[in-house]
C-alpha cells in the first residue's frame, strides 16, 4: 500500500503541473510503468520511487540500470501496443519522494 500512496501523490503532483494522466501501472511481462502522462504533445513515462528512510540510500539511488532498461522496454511497448506507433515524442523520468510519503521531499528527475 505504501507504493500506491506514493503513486497517488505523484499523480496529483503531475496533474497540478498541467499533465493529463493517461495510465497507471501499465504492465508488460518483465516491466512496468508507474504513470503515463501527456505534457503538450509529449508522452511522459514516470517511475515513482519512495524511501521513508535513507539507511538504504535515497529514492533516486534505488533506480538501477536494469530498472531503467525495463522501463524503456515497457514504454516502447506502450507506444506500439496502445498507440500503434513508436515514433511519437516521449521521455522517461523518475519522480522521487524522500521521507514521509505525504510530506517528504518530492523531486522530478528527467532521464531522456
Amino acid at each position: 500500500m505504501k507504493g500506491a500512496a506514493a503513486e497517488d501523490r505523484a499523480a496529483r503532483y503531475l496533474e497540478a503541473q498541467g499533465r493529463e494522466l493517461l495510465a497507471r501501472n501499465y504492465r508488460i511481462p518483465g516491466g512496468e510503468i508507474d504513470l503515463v502522462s501527456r505534457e503538450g504533445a509529449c508522452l511522459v513515462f514516470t517511475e515513482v520511487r519512495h524511501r521513508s528512510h535513507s539507511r538504504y540510500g535515497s529514492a533516486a539511488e534505488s533506480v538501477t540500470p536494469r530498472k531503467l532498461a525495463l522501463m524503456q522496454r515497457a514504454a516502447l511497448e506502450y507506444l506500439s501496443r496502445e498507440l500503434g506507433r513508436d515514433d511519437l515524442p516521449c521521455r522517461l523520468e523518475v519522480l522521487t519522494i524522500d521521507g514521509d510519503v505525504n510530506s517528504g521531499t518530492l523531486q522530478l528527475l528527467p532521464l531522456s
Side-chain angles (χ1 to χ4, degrees), residues 35-110:
L35 301 170
V36 181
S37 62
R38 183 183 317 274
E39 183 177 55
C42 185
L43 290 176
V44 185
F45 299 94
T46 306
E47 171 69 12
V48 178
R49 300 300 255 197
H50 171 240
R51 288 292 178 265
S52 298
H53 305 284
S54 61
R55 81 181 81 134
Y56 300 114
S58 70
E61 292 171 323
S62 73
V63 181
T64 65
R66 182 175 188 278
K67 176 58 184 172
L68 294 177
L70 292 173
M71 187 179 171
Q72 183 176 25
R73 188 170 141 240
L76 286 171
E77 187 69 23
Y78 179 90
L79 291 170
S80 296
R81 188 183 299 169
E82 302 300 322
L83 303 175
R85 47 192 295 203
D86 64 1
D87 61 346
L88 297 169
C90 64
R91 71 175 188 269
L92 303 175
E93 66 185 12
V94 176
L95 188 147
T96 63
I97 302 171
D98 286 294
D100 181 77
V101 72
N102 295 310
S103 61
T105 303
L106 188 144
Q107 186 174 12
L108 201 54
L109 308 169

